[in-house]
Amino acid sequence: MEKIQNYINGDLVPPMSGEYFNNISPSTGEVYSLIPDSDANDIDLAVSSAKDAFKIWSKLSKNERYDHIMHLADVIDEHFDDLVKAESKDNGKPEWLARAVDIPRASENFRFFATASLHFDSEIHEMDGKAINYTLRQPIGVAGCISPWNLPIYLLTWKIAPALAAGNTVVAKPSEITPMTAFHFSQICQKADFPNGVINIVHGFGNKAGDALSRHPDVPIISFTGGTITGEKIAAVAAPMFKKLSLELGGKNPNIVFEDADFDNAIKMAVKAAFSNQGQICLCGSRLFVQDSIYSDFKSAFVKETKSLKVGDPKDNTSNLGAIVSEEHMNKILSCIDHAKKEGGEILIGGKRLVLDGELKNGYYIEPTIIDGLSVDSQTNQEEIFGPVVSMIPFKTEEEVIDLANSTKFGLSASLFSRDISRAHRVAAAIDSGVVWVNTWMLRDLRIPFGGMKSSGVGREGGFKSLQFFTESKNVCIKI
Ligand code: NDP
């Protein structure tokens, strides 16, 4: 059986302990490869190789770094089809989705940040002829990049690319649940002759390898995307060590439909926001607020559209949804649905595990599920479920829905649908979330500040914000 290897100092190496654990394909439930059970010793080795490489990488010119990174992006593209298949098999998402979103984004992240680094500038503060201050933006050192399983290579490269472009070296810890494309990426780095030690990837459990990375004294900066509870743990470790920290965490995002919205567009987007990637995107619209005058019609149309979705083989291009990422996560989602019933929720459609035929019979599939009738402060409407589950809630007025939308501890993203441009501006400004979409969902521009408020995170990434995060600013004052 294939053994995934760590990537340290340009070499593919086994974990020092020699221990591995199973990697399961969620579409079939079969064990198909083995993952290194890395620990603090592997992290130590990776950090020391990244520290050595920093001495050279940070001194290269921006153009030299640009050339290396752009070449890496080209080699990623040469392995496009393999990456699509690997991501789908490892995560359960449909191949068409990996082809349309995840894999193109991997090389795009590198091209985007390599190019951005050439345009990145800093400030000058002139003191009325007495002195000039200028700000240097310098690379920091070894960046720890910890990423989740829902968009495995997409989010891994979203961190590695700006860290490198800004002149840092990296030790990355992908999710143990979806390590395969990170392993392919290691092999791609070798094929691209990417300088040794600049990128290091260590696989293993979060509470072992991930924890060792976040508490390593030679890792002064950490970019983390994942759940809010893990974010709390990492912050508790990093804060007393004064590490620079960026946390992109969970969401319970409101999707608000006003009575004057373009009805068909709002339906189409509500389906996309609820069920894309099996509902496992931090930006998914899991609370659907619909104005009471159109609630009944909207509900019928939303259920009808959801009924037409096909849950099936991720290899089949006609499957709208594939498998849930793991058995454990599937069971968590099913228990949330049970809890919603206990809280008095009505399941309008879905609500059950789906058992498919043949080799897919042990895969982890859940029907897209719509729940109605729960109050906004129910657990179902407060806690992140992170699956193909959406809860519908009626509202009467603009003021009311703003309060309802802001009633959770999260504040990652929101969507609102209305033809009234003034209302769209008012509501967008009043919603407590880092990103608001009007009449659309998940339309991403990589330049925008991206991140969450409240328990959805700390800091912003994207465009120059990422390059600011991955550099330290130093002011130099020159007396005239
Ligand atoms: P987790 O928080 O469980 O894990 C994220 C990463 O952290 C994984 O690599 C995990 O490793 C690692 N990890 C776990 N424990 C520790 C620890 N103590 N120290 C250091 N690292 C650790 O998140 P999931 O992978 O379950 O991802 C789903 C979550 O991510 C959802 O809450 C979702 O909302 C959020 N998310 C947020 C996004 C955003 O941009 N705001 C985007 C995408 C997802 P391992 O898996 O090996 O345990």
Side-chain angles (χ1 to χ4, degrees):
M1 187 165 304
E2 184 174 26
K3 278 185 175 162
I4 288 172
Q5 306 285 276
N6 291 331
Y7 178 58
I8 299 179
N9 203 25
D11 294 323
L12 292 169
V13 293
M16 285 184 184
S17 66
E19 298 294 320
Y20 289 82
F21 57 97
N22 290 340
N23 190 25
I24 296 171
S25 173
S27 60
T28 58
E30 60 154 357
V31 176
Y32 80 104
S33 54
L34 295 172
I35 308 168
D37 184 2
S38 309
D39 57 27
N41 293 323
D42 303 286
I43 292 288
D44 251 351
L45 191 65
V47 171
S48 122
S49 113
K51 217 176 146 187
D52 284 347
F54 180 75
K55 292 176 202 148
I56 299 167
W57 181 253
S58 61
K59 297 285 182 301
L60 295 184
S61 70
K62 288 188 183 68
N63 279 312
E64 285 169 316
R65 287 200 293 259
Y66 170 91
D67 288 343
H68 281 297
I69 297 172
M70 293 299 270
H71 178 57
L72 184 58
D74 291 343
V75 184
I76 291 174
D77 285 347
E78 285 165 20
H79 294 80
F80 192 92
D81 286 337
D82 291 344
L83 287 165
V84 165
K85 288 191 171 60
E87 198 70 297
S88 169
K89 183 164 185 171
D90 213 31
N91 171 279
K93 67 179 70 205
E95 282 189 3
W96 63 261
L97 184 61
R99 189 175 296 283
V101 177
D102 300 68
I103 308 309
R105 179 59 75 78
S107 53
E108 191 187 352
N109 281 337
F110 284 107
R111 292 201 178 95
F112 175 79
F113 283 111
T115 312
S117 71
L118 301 182
H119 298 262
F120 188 42
D121 56 15
S122 66
E123 306 88 41
I124 289 184
H125 300 91
E126 197 270 331
M127 295 175 68
D128 301 325
K130 276 187 273 182
I132 297 174
N133 294 278
Y134 64 87
T135 309
L136 290 175
R137 287 234 158 237
Q138 296 176 313
I140 300 175
V142 180
C145 298
I146 305 177
S147 51
W149 48 256
N150 62 332
L151 300 162
I153 191 86
Y154 170 124
L155 286 175
L156 184 78
T157 52
W158 174 246
K159 297 178 180 310
I160 294 179
L164 297 183
N168 305 283
T169 54
V170 164
V171 176
K173 212 300 280 172
S175 171
E176 112 261 348
I177 300 166
T178 53
M180 192 50 94
T181 48
F183 178 46
H184 282 222
F185 174 65
S186 309
Q187 294 165 320
I188 287 169
C189 290
Q190 287 189 321
K191 286 181 188 149
D193 283 327
F194 205 77
N196 293 345
V198 174
I199 302 173
N200 301 272
I201 301 179
V202 180
H203 297 274
F205 292 108
N207 56 13
K208 203 183 208 179
D211 182 63
L213 177 58
S214 55
R215 64 177 70 244
H216 200 291
D218 290 335
V219 177
I221 173 165
I222 297 172
S223 172
F224 169 79
T225 300
T228 296
I229 292 171
T230 316
E232 269 174 43
K233 286 187 196 158
I234 292 176
V237 167
M241 299 176 83
F242 307 111
K243 295 184 181 223
K244 211 171 174 192
L245 191 58
S246 165
L247 300 172
E248 304 277 351
L249 308 176
K252 190 74 186 172
N253 311 304
N255 186 356
I256 304 169
V257 183
F258 289 97
E259 60 192 358
D260 63 351
D262 172 340
F263 191 90
D264 293 343
N265 178 50
I267 289 285
K268 197 172 101 196
M269 288 296 155
V271 170
K272 218 173 150 194
F275 304 123
S276 289
N277 204 38
Q278 297 71 246
Q280 302 165 133
I281 302 180
C282 52
L283 306 166
C284 275
S286 52
R287 292 181 301 149
L288 178 56
F289 295 98
V290 181
Q291 202 152 17
D292 54 2
S293 52
I294 58 164
Y295 193 79
S296 172
D297 290 346
F298 197 91
K299 186 159 85 173
S300 310
F302 186 47
V303 169
K304 186 170 168 223
E305 200 61 30
T306 302
K307 207 175 261 175
S308 72
L309 297 177
K310 178 177 161 192
V311 181
D313 189 346
K315 290 187 193 132
D316 178 350
N317 279 338
T318 66
S319 299
N320 300 97
L321 284 79
I324 302 297
V325 75
S326 68
E327 184 171 23
E328 189 186 349
H329 192 55
M330 174 184 71
N331 288 336
K332 182 209 146 184
I333 297 168
L334 292 171
S335 81
C336 289
I337 296 171
D338 273 349
H339 189 79
K341 287 189 219 159
K342 286 188 192 120
E343 288 189 301
E346 182 192 352
I347 308 295
L348 299 178
I349 184 170
K352 294 191 293 300
R353 179 177 184 178
L354 201 63
V355 178
L356 300 179
D357 295 332
E359 60 162 14
L360 307 177
K361 70 176 186 305
N362 295 321
Y364 316 132
Y365 300 88
I366 294 186
E367 299 168 335
T369 300
I370 306 174
I371 304 170
D372 191 20
L374 287 176
S375 75
V376 80
D377 54 4
S378 61
Q379 185 180 312
T380 304
N381 284 329
Q382 289 291 318
E383 298 297 332
E384 190 181 39
I385 297 173
F386 216 55
V389 181
V390 57
S391 173
M392 292 190 71
I393 306 158
F395 69 91
K396 285 192 172 60
T397 65
E398 183 181 314
E399 294 70 29
E400 182 195 8
V401 80
I402 290 168
D403 284 346
L404 297 177
N406 288 340
S407 70
T408 72
K409 66 181 177 197
F410 297 104
L412 186 56
S413 73
S415 284
L416 67 97
F417 293 84
S418 170
R419 286 193 173 99
D420 179 340
I421 188 75
S422 301
R423 167 150 64 195
H425 284 299
R426 276 194 308 272
V427 177
I431 298 274
D432 296 336
S433 68
V435 182
V436 179
W437 284 287
V438 175
N439 295 328
T440 188
W441 175 74
M442 210 175 153
L443 187 55
R444 288 280 285 117
D445 180 327
L446 302 190
R447 294 169 302 175
I448 67 157
F450 180 85
M453 295 181 182
K454 303 194 282 187
S455 296
S456 288
V458 178
R460 296 289 179 272
E461 294 188 14
F464 292 151
K465 294 272 179 243
S466 292
L467 295 179
Q468 281 160 1
F469 172 70
F470 281 110
T471 50
E472 194 72 88
S473 59
K474 179 193 288 173
N475 189 72
V476 180
C477 176
I478 304 185
K479 192 168 180 317
I480 293 173

